[in-house]
Amino acid sequence: MTAMQQKGAEGFLHRFEGLRERLPGARLPWAAALRDNAAEAFRASGLPTRRLEAWRYTDLRAVSEAGFDEPLTALDEASGLPPMHGEARAVFVDGRSRADLSRLDGVGFAAQSLAANLREAEGRLGALCRPDEQPLAALNTMLFEDGLVVTVPAGMSGGVLDMLSLASPTERPSAFHPRHLVRLEAGASLTLIETATGPEGARYLHNPVFEIEVGEGATFIHARLQQEGAQGFQLSTVYARVAAGGTYDNFTLNAGGKLVRNEIHAELAGPKGACHMNGAQLLGPGQHADTTTFLDHAAPDCASRQTYKTVLSGKSRGVFQGKILVRQPAQRTDGYQMNQALFLSPDAEIDSKPQLEIYADDVKCSHGATVGELDAEQLFYMRARGIPESQARAMLVEAFLAEAVEGVSDPIARGALEAAVAGWWDRRLKEAA
């Protein structure tokens, strides 16, 4: 462990010990054994460095140096909240539930604050998470105080649920680590539109962990809009297990933040399950975004699709690492993985590492990566017909991203993602003006 890595880890461990010492009246009086084991793992590993293969392209020295402290929630008003996409909304400020800003009554299924419903949540904590293997999951397990707990009963259509994560406009660097648990029972369905945002000048770390269980024949659409502030860090980890005949459909849009990592671990645990992990990274000057996926085909007759696209402008850097593991029992697997990057600047950089690891005989798997610039002939053609250059470039970028966004089956979620993409490009044009 390097000196800087050790310093960053010690800050988080000091906060953990301070909270634990105030037991039993402290905010961490529950899941003590789970937290202690995670703290031991984090103490041994520290924050990951580029010496680890999984972190080869993403440097967390800025996180180690920031000196993140406990957040002081300062958002008192509901003004300025984005419009709801569905009829229900769960709001978190600095990782803590805000019942006064949420609207969860009458949704027909259980959607509650983790901290307010410990009895239901504690038995589910850690079912999928692996803090001994992922240091950021260990960090979350040490320090989480709240999160969203969702249970959709068998056969129920849960509709659309909004989840909004806000960072408050505090002056000191702060860190929060929410833990979210989602369970869809057999035949259930739900669309979750998750939006994360924060003030432009605030320096904060948002380190969420999701544990998602998709039951037999259930369908979970998970649309993630990452729009953190310009100085914000988001390091998220998603764990999903899909039972027989179930579908997990994830789309992540990285369009904000100074340094972002979106890590997904999905397991197709039952026959005829499906997993779609798609996304887009829209990067401006000084931004770094890393998408890392691990898809475990553990059962036969399952299908998976991954399409990730990155648009890079200015001096930005994108990363895609995707691995598909096909175990020996997973015969008749159908897997596809593609990563494509579009450069809008000669100063940008992309690192792409798609991987296949196959132990079954009867499979159909493919992967690939492409890198390119806007087509000069297409741009000339559009400008020759009176289309301004900025509009022509916008049209070509939107066409590049269309394939990824069109894969989102829920029209409400797809519309939210398309609006976010358009908003990102509008901001880039204003900054260039």
Side-chain angles (χ1 to χ4, degrees), residues 19-150:
L19 292 169
R20 294 284 283 125
E21 285 173 3
R22 296 200 294 268
L23 298 181
R27 295 197 307 272
L28 304 182
W30 41 281
L34 186 70
R35 294 183 189 278
D36 288 342
N37 291 337
E40 183 178 350
F42 186 72
R43 186 174 285 108
S45 68
L47 289 169
T49 70
R50 295 181 64 185
R51 293 180 180 178
L52 299 175
E53 182 62 26
W55 290 86
R56 180 180 177 185
Y57 305 111
T58 297
D59 192 342
L60 293 187
R61 281 183 296 179
V63 175
S64 299
E65 296 169 355
F68 292 112
D69 205 339
E70 181 178 348
L72 297 175
T73 302
L75 184 67
D76 296 322
E77 305 265 337
S79 60
L81 294 185
M84 294 174 58
H85 301 101
E87 297 181 355
R89 176 169 63 191
V91 178
F92 293 84
V93 178
D94 297 335
R96 299 166 188 163
S97 175
R98 286 289 298 268
D100 57 320
L101 303 181
S102 302
R103 189 184 300 174
L104 296 174
D105 296 335
V107 297
F109 58 91
Q112 303 164 319
S113 160
L114 184 152
N117 296 274
L118 303 183
R119 182 172 299 178
E120 176 187 350
E122 193 161 4
R124 293 164 57 178
L125 285 167
L128 303 180
C129 182
R130 295 187 288 275
D132 56 328
E133 299 178 11
Q134 277 88 42
L136 293 177
L139 176 60
N140 175 281
T141 303
M142 282 167 45
L143 293 174
F144 74 87
E145 298 181 42
D146 208 345
L148 180 64
V149 182
V150 175

Side-chain angles (χ1 to χ4, degrees), residues 134-309:
Q134 277 88 42
L136 293 177
L139 176 60
N140 175 281
T141 303
M142 282 167 45
L143 293 174
F144 74 87
E145 298 181 42
D146 208 345
L148 180 64
V149 182
V150 175
T151 304
V152 184
M156 171 177 284
S157 174
V160 177
L161 171 63
D162 282 297
M163 188 175 80
L164 180 61
S165 175
L166 304 172
S168 59
T170 57
E171 295 183 0
R172 65 177 186 175
S174 61
F176 44 97
H177 315 265
R179 185 66 154 263
H180 307 297
L181 308 176
V182 179
R183 175 184 291 164
L184 275 66
E185 297 180 352
S189 64
L190 177 68
T191 296
L192 177 66
I193 301 178
E194 173 202 347
T195 303
T197 186
E200 286 300 300
R203 192 172 177 84
Y204 61 91
L205 168 63
H206 181 198
N207 176 37
V209 167
F210 283 81
E211 295 186 82
I212 299 166
E213 300 175 77
V214 181
E216 292 188 9
T219 300
F220 181 40
I221 298 173
H222 189 188
R224 312 186 68 203
L225 283 71
Q226 183 283 116
Q227 298 172 309
E228 305 284 8
Q231 297 302 314
F233 298 82
Q234 188 189 104
L235 306 172
S236 68
T237 311
V238 176
Y239 299 93
R241 179 182 292 158
V242 183
T247 299
Y248 176 54
D249 190 345
N250 177 298
F251 188 100
T252 301
L253 175 65
N254 284 326
K258 183 178 182 65
L259 187 151
V260 174
R261 179 171 166 114
N262 166 45
E263 185 168 339
I264 307 174
H265 299 261
E267 178 188 6
L268 291 167
K272 298 184 179 180
C275 181
H276 308 137
M277 295 193 297
N278 303 315
Q281 300 186 136
L282 311 179
L283 306 182
Q287 288 184 285
H288 179 108
D290 177 338
T291 292
T292 296
T293 67
F294 178 75
L295 184 49
D296 185 352
H297 279 264
D301 300 302
C302 293
S304 65
R305 294 290 182 271
Q306 295 183 67
T307 300
Y308 285 93
K309 299 201 172 190

